[in-house]
């Protein structure tokens, strides 16, 4: 069972639909008991960093998430702001992040000809090419992005995927059983399907 964390951050139906198309059992939940029973966890994120962190804290789920992710080492995938929340904080706001990964979140600098937010399809390249999460990723892989801020891990070994938008940035990060992607795999058609299917099979 894959638990999709519901902390009142918007519509996450697309994530459910994509997992169901892959034949994967999933449950949208705000229940600590359900999170305790999960074999995989997805942390979505939508909107502003501070609002997402405030809502997650208000949900009361952080203690059980820390138990599952940090102690039991249950695989977790953060999506978009959900990935940014894995770090220590964001230039978008003042709230501290979860601190599960050693990284900050920066705003894209102004570049001639590039609009902020970075919105639309972009090519993504594996940095850790032999990692289980990217084993089915091809050279043509493209994913759908909507973001003005990007992840900056302090340890380059935590960068799983890279993309370019005026600068090279971490499109995906991973450390032990914790992974995050800046793009939306649930909106990325066959490329997103492959990544979510790899996550469902991932044994860190």
């Amino acid at each position: 069972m894959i638990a999709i964390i519901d902390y009142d951050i918007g519509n996450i139906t697309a994530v459910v639909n994509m997992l169901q198309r892959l034949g994967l059992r999933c449950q949208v939940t705000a229940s600590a008991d359900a999170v305790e029973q999960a074999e995989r966890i997805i942390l979505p994120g939508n909107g502003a960093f501070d609002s997402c962190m405030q809502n997650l804290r208000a949900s009361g789920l952080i203690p059980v998430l820390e138990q599952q992710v940090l102690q039991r080492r249950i695989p977790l995938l953060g999506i978009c702001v959900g990935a940014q929340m894995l770090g220590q904080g964001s230039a978008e706001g003042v709230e501290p992040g979860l601190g599960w990964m050693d990284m900050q979140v920066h705003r894209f600098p102004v570049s001639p000809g590039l609009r902020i937010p970075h919105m639309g399809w972009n090519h993504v390249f594996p940095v850790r090419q032999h990692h289980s999460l990217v084993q089915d990723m091809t050279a043509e892989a493209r994913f759908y992005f909507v973001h003005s801020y990007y992840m900056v891990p302090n340890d380059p070994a935590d960068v799983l995927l890279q993309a370019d938008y005026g600068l090279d940035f971490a499109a995906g990060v991973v450390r032990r059983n914790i992974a995050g992607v800046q793009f939306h795999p649930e909106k990325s058609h066959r490329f997103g399907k492959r990544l979510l299917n790899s996550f469902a099979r991932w044994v860190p």
Side-chain angles (χ1 to χ4, degrees):
M1 172 65 71
I2 300 174
I4 305 166
I5 303 303
D6 180 8
Y7 59 107
D8 196 24
I9 48 82
N11 188 354
I12 51 181
T13 304
V15 178
V16 175
N17 289 342
M18 183 68 88
L19 294 173
Q20 289 180 342
R21 286 191 203 108
L22 289 166
L24 300 171
R25 294 174 60 236
C26 63
Q27 177 182 7
V28 177
T29 184
S31 163
D33 289 341
V35 176
E36 284 184 346
Q37 300 301 315
E39 299 169 273
R40 298 277 188 282
I41 299 170
I42 290 179
L43 180 65
N46 187 16
F49 183 92
D50 278 6
S51 296
C52 287
M53 283 306 311
Q54 290 163 2
N55 282 18
L56 185 60
R57 288 196 175 92
S59 75
L61 291 174
I62 290 181
V64 68
L65 286 170
E66 289 182 337
Q67 172 190 307
Q68 290 292 85
V69 176
L70 302 183
Q71 297 176 25
R72 295 192 59 209
R73 300 288 177 91
I74 297 296
L76 175 135
L77 177 67
I79 296 176
C80 197
V81 180
Q84 297 176 0
M85 292 162 65
L86 302 175
Q88 292 150 333
S90 172
E92 185 179 13
V94 298
E95 290 285 337
L98 291 166
W100 297 349
M101 297 191 72
D102 184 17
M103 71 179 182
Q104 294 290 335
V105 176
H106 296 182
R107 182 174 170 81
F108 279 114
V110 175
S111 298
L114 293 180
R115 294 182 178 180
I116 300 174
H118 170 215
M119 183 182 300
W121 292 87
N122 200 347
H123 285 280
V124 168
F125 306 94
V127 175
R128 295 176 58 176
Q129 297 184 1
H130 301 293
H131 195 281
S132 301
L133 287 174
V134 298
Q135 61 186 359
D136 294 329
M137 192 170 292
T138 63
E140 62 176 346
R142 298 183 307 132
F143 292 89
Y144 189 80
F145 291 83
V146 184
H147 64 123
S148 300
Y149 297 79
Y150 63 97
M151 300 176 289
V152 184
N154 289 318
D155 186 348
D158 291 343
V159 178
L160 174 68
L161 299 164
Q162 185 172 286
D164 174 75
Y165 195 71
L167 50 78
D168 291 334
F169 69 92
V173 294
V174 66
R175 174 175 286 191
R176 295 187 298 271
N177 58 307
I178 302 169
V181 290
Q182 184 61 69
F183 49 80
H184 288 272
E186 76 279 11
K187 298 179 181 179
S188 299
H189 306 314
R190 68 182 187 275
F191 306 113
K193 281 185 178 181
R194 290 172 188 166
L195 184 113
L196 289 172
N197 198 40
S198 293
F199 171 68
R201 303 195 311 265
W202 182 31
V203 181

